[in-house]
Amino acid sequence: GSEYSCETISQNGKHDLLAITTKYTTSEPHYIEIGHYEPSVLSENIILKIKDVLFRAFDLLGLENGAFHSEIIIDDKDEVFIIEIGARMGGDCIGSDLVYISTGYDYMKMVIDVACGNDVECNRGKNGKNEYAIIRFIMSEEDDIMLRAFEIQHPEWLYRKYHEVSTVGGKICSSVDRFGYYIFSMKSKSDFDVAREYLFAKSVR
């Protein structure tokens, strides 16, 4: 099936689903993440099913407070399968950036509030953000050229970029071998569709 991740916040046993991330990975044997985007563009029925599966799992595991990053697979019959649940925000700039861009939720503030015993505010778009977010990692010299060209074509969509090394090249066997990333943010669904098609045209789901 297709892989997604879910960002949630819990306080005193009450769970809130903040965002679902669509994930792209390389093929076997490493399945390294190429990029992500939010929102996931899943149907409302699937989102409700994801909430039910995850929240029941949280309760069974006794997870009551904090951020939880859940990896899931959805098969062609729309069945939801949990891969893992981590007691943390999502990495790869998901928790720190993509959630904020796509929802307006300040996820890091929520985590701090839970730790301090402050009431968590779940007010979507409170901070003026409610857009579309994409992160695309530099996996090769070809990716580097493609992303530089995309930035030139659409500079208004660039949110942040980072090059891990000055020279791109070599074999990538894990996430730490990637050469950097670009984060893009769009205000409209049509722009989001254009960006997704361009940035993930040859990527594996």
Side-chain angles (χ1 to χ4, degrees):
S2 298
E3 185 177 348
Y4 303 85
S5 65
C6 306
E7 304 307 312
T8 57
I9 192 76
S10 300
Q11 188 171 44
N12 301 323
K14 180 182 182 296
H15 314 299
D16 286 290
L17 175 63
L18 306 180
I20 300 173
T21 308
T22 299
K23 310 173 79 65
Y24 284 81
T25 69
T26 60
S27 58
E28 59 186 6
H30 301 298
Y31 298 100
I32 303 160
E33 291 169 344
I34 297 167
H36 318 289
Y37 66 75
E38 291 179 12
S40 63
V41 301
L42 292 168
S43 71
E44 189 60 34
N45 286 339
I46 297 297
I47 292 172
L48 290 173
K49 184 178 286 190
I50 291 169
K51 285 183 178 181
D52 178 62
V53 170
L54 289 182
F55 293 176
R56 284 191 291 120
F58 294 169
D59 291 341
L60 287 168
L61 291 168
L63 304 178
E64 296 184 343
N65 292 285
F68 301 112
H69 173 77
S70 305
E71 305 274 351
I72 62 172
I73 289 284
I74 302 176
D75 68 10
D76 57 4
K77 297 179 181 177
D78 290 339
E79 294 299 320
V80 179
F81 299 90
I82 298 174
I83 302 171
E84 65 175 76
I85 298 172
R88 59 178 178 84
M89 298 191 305
D92 279 356
C93 301
I94 294 172
S96 59
D97 295 278
L98 300 194
V99 170
Y100 173 70
I101 294 169
S102 67
T103 67
Y105 291 138
D106 189 338
Y107 200 8
M108 288 191 283
K109 182 179 184 301
M110 290 178 172
V111 174
I112 293 169
D113 281 340
V114 171
C116 293
N118 302 327
D119 290 338
V120 170
E121 296 181 9
C122 282
N123 188 353
R124 181 178 290 271
K126 177 184 176 184
N127 299 299
K129 286 282 187 180
N130 196 359
E131 302 177 5
Y132 300 89
I134 298 174
I135 186 168
R136 180 63 161 81
F137 295 97
I138 305 168
M139 311 291 289
S140 64
E141 186 176 359
E142 182 183 18
D143 280 350
D144 192 32
I145 294 169
M146 178 269 290
L147 286 161
R148 289 175 190 271
F150 191 68
E151 178 191 358
I152 292 171
Q153 293 171 27
H154 299 284
E156 73 279 11
W157 294 349
L158 181 67
Y159 183 81
R160 189 171 70 244
K161 64 180 178 180
Y162 174 69
H163 282 73
E164 180 70 31
V165 292
S166 58
T167 303
V168 175
K171 188 175 181 181
I172 295 181
C173 296
S174 72
S175 294
V176 298
D177 298 327
R178 295 175 302 194
F179 303 109
Y181 62 81
Y182 282 70
I183 299 177
F184 298 99
S185 173
M186 306 92 206
K187 295 183 182 297
S188 73
K189 176 66 163 55
S190 59
D191 288 345
F192 181 52
D193 291 340
V194 168
R196 285 189 300 142
E197 177 63 28
Y198 183 93
L199 295 171
F200 298 110
K202 298 179 181 178
S203 302
V204 179
R205 275 301 306 278

